[in-house]
Amino acid sequence: MPDGYGVYGVLDDDGETLLCHECGVRAAALHRHASFVHAMTAEQYRTAHGLRRTQPLVSTAVRNKQRAAALRRMERNPAGWARLEAARDPWAAVDARTPEELRGNAASHAGRLAHPGPAAKPLKARVCVRCGTTWTPPTPAQRRRRTCDGEECARMQGPYRRPLAADEIAALRDASADPDERMRLAVALTESGASQRAIAAAAGMDRVRLRKAVWQARNPVPGVSGSGHVAAGDRAAARRGPAAEDDPAGRSHG
């Protein structure tokens, strides 16, 4: 019977990974994936998808590695493992389990399903650093995200994700001989909605300089061009100071 992305009661193991019934992702350790992505314990996952309680939620490759590691430990300390085997009495353990103990274990199991622990605790709300909206991460795997990707957030982010057209790439390459013209074109493309990553790659420029030029274009500073260069006359005037600008000879008025 189909069950989500898999089959109810069947764990799809290709040798290296297991198929998640919830989302279709393949993972080597399904219990860890279910905990962090779907906020489910291993017991909850087995119950929800009809798996037996003893079904391991790791792939065959992981189990083989664990078995090899256990054998290496046994080889390093054979005397200790021999003492353990001699002391084991499985039937004595079975006889020691009373009906009251079994009922207590069942109640404890039900309690763990009702209160699965930290993986299923409600996540804290936070403020999106881009649009200022208060939001809650949908899964524990996204608890470290700083943006919400809501409609307003996507609208603010969207203008910088458009890929470059072929003619825009050609224009950037044609302007490579003139750094100022190339930077002005790059800023104009950014303002028109093109991706800064694509612009920097096509023009062969540093993304940090491009972001700085875009910021300067939006917040113009007198004497600073769109490419971030200060004109020579403005640098000389800045060195002379405001009083020297009135005196062509640059004499001091002190």
Side-chain angles (χ1 to χ4, degrees), residues 51-102:
L51 304 175
R52 66 180 188 276
R53 289 184 59 184
T54 58
Q55 173 70 53
L57 296 184
V58 293
S59 66
T60 303
V62 174
R63 293 202 303 274
N64 290 338
K65 291 179 181 178
Q66 293 172 343
R67 185 180 300 109
L71 291 174
R72 287 194 298 270
R73 289 195 298 270
M74 292 176 64
E75 292 173 355
R76 285 197 298 266
N77 187 15
W81 282 97
R83 289 194 300 269
L84 176 62
E85 288 293 332
R88 287 181 68 245
D89 191 352
W91 291 109
V94 171
D95 294 338
R97 300 183 69 179
T98 63
E100 291 75 15
E101 184 183 0
L102 293 176

Side-chain angles (χ1 to χ4, degrees), residues 100-114:
E100 291 75 15
E101 184 183 0
L102 293 176
R103 282 192 291 270
N105 290 342
S108 175
H109 176 68
R112 287 196 301 271
L113 291 180

Side-chain angles (χ1 to χ4, degrees), residues 126-127 129 135 137-138 141-150:
R126 60 189 63 190
V127 178
V129 297
W135 70 293
Q142 301 179 7
R143 60 165 58 94
R144 294 185 180 181
R145 282 182 48 184
R146 302 178 64 194
T147 56
C148 65
D149 285 345

Side-chain angles (χ1 to χ4, degrees), residues 33-41 44 116-121 123 138-141:
H33 168 79
S35 173
F36 282 96
V37 178
H38 305 299
M40 300 174 68
T41 64
Q44 285 179 316
K121 287 183 178 179
L123 299 174
T139 64

